[in-house]
Amino acid sequence: GAGVSQTPSNKVTEKGKYVELRCDPISGHTALYWYRQSLGQGPEFLIYFQGTGAADDSGLPNDRFFAVRPEGSVSTLKIQRTERGDSAVYLCASSLLLRDTQYFGPGTRLTVL
Amino acid sequence: TQLLEQSPQFLSIQEGENLTVYCNSSSVFSSLQWYRQEPGEGPVLLVTVVTGGEVKKLKRLTFQFGDARKDSSLHITAAQTGDTGLYLCAGAWDNYGQNFVFGPGTRLSVLP
């Protein structure tokens, strides 16, 4: 389909491990956003990209979290030394331009044991 | 800390009934959005409101932005089972309207 896709759909890992979550935005969308949604909560903003650069990373909880978008399309959210509190659904969204409608992917459910 | 509150947290009604859910903040929004999210999916944008007092209608859904731009409501007329889902509001406080903060959502169940 032509929507935002995220892989994997589910990821189970052990405490202390490193994980990478991938987001494929809608083709041609210049802005890309990452959110985290914990059970019973709304999405929490993490970071957004305009092109290849991180325009606002103020939502990243600590330096274990890092995201890249090297070619201005696909983005990877990287989490080092995972903790049980990192367990959540990680959502990616893209928009054609900044301030345009954001289209969300289905998310990656991360479980840290 | 800028917080968005949504009420009720849970709502279960029969098909055909009307309902209203609310989104409130102590801060003034530059714009506010309403989304619906179904299990296993990402949120889908329903509407964006930017002007105090604004009312927007989307079929059986009516969205109202408070005059002071601190609150909003979503009214559904004659609810259908397909309306079941998590209704999220998201507010932007800065002039760029880019960094939205989401409320915790209202989980609506419409029973046949």
Side-chain angles (χ1 to χ4, degrees):
Chain A
V4 177
S5 62
Q6 293 187 245
T7 54
S9 56
N10 280 283
K11 176 70 176 178
V12 180
T13 190
E14 293 179 343
K15 180 175 178 291
K17 299 290 188 182
Y18 169 82
V19 296
E20 290 189 351
L21 311 179
R22 176 187 168 107
C23 173
D24 281 83
I26 293 172
S27 179
H29 280 197
T30 63
L32 184 147
Y33 316 79
W34 283 100
Y35 296 84
R36 177 170 69 176
Q37 187 172 23
S38 300
L39 194 62
Q41 299 296 319
E44 172 193 9
F45 168 78
L46 297 176
I47 184 172
Y48 84 84
F49 291 85
Q50 174 59 32
T52 60
D56 183 349
D57 64 358
S58 61
L60 294 177
N62 52 60
D63 61 5
R64 296 186 299 105
F65 289 75
F66 189 70
V68 296
R69 194 185 185 201
E71 298 178 356
S73 178
V74 171
S75 176
T76 304
L77 178 65
K78 307 180 181 190
I79 310 175
Q80 298 177 322
R81 305 182 304 280
T82 52
E83 300 177 356
R84 293 194 180 89
D86 298 335
S87 295
V89 174
Y90 287 81
L91 294 165
C92 175
S94 70
S95 63
L96 183 60
L97 300 170
L98 281 179
R99 304 177 203 153
D100 283 347
T101 298
Q102 295 184 27
Y103 295 88
F104 284 81
T108 293
R109 181 175 297 278
L110 175 66
T111 303
V112 182
L113 301 176
Chain B
T1 302
Q2 296 163 332
L3 292 176
L4 272 170
E5 298 177 347
Q6 289 191 246
S7 60
Q9 186 178 0
F10 298 98
L11 183 59
S12 182
I13 62 170
Q14 294 294 133
E15 197 168 26
E17 293 183 354
N18 301 332
L19 67 114
T20 302
V21 298
Y22 301 91
C23 174
N24 296 282
S25 174
S26 58
S27 301
V28 176
F29 302 120
S30 63
S31 63
L32 184 139
Q33 299 184 328
W34 284 94
Y35 292 79
R36 179 169 65 217
Q37 185 177 23
E38 299 188 21
E41 301 292 331
V44 175
L45 180 66
L46 297 174
V47 77
T48 301
V49 287
V50 296
T51 304
E54 183 176 3
V55 176
K56 282 192 173 180
K57 293 193 175 185
L58 183 65
K59 298 183 180 178
R60 294 176 295 100
L61 278 59
T62 301
F63 304 85
Q64 185 160 7
F65 202 14
D67 290 341
R69 307 207 323 269
K70 292 184 177 183
D71 55 86
S72 180
S73 63
L74 160 58
H75 181 81
I76 301 179
T77 303
Q80 299 176 357
T81 55
D83 296 328
T84 293
L86 179 67
Y87 288 81
L88 296 159
C89 66
W93 283 272
D94 58 61
N95 291 332
Y96 300 101
Q98 190 54 49
N99 186 354
F100 283 90
V101 176
F102 283 82
T106 292
R107 187 164 297 281
L108 172 66
S109 295
V110 182
L111 306 175

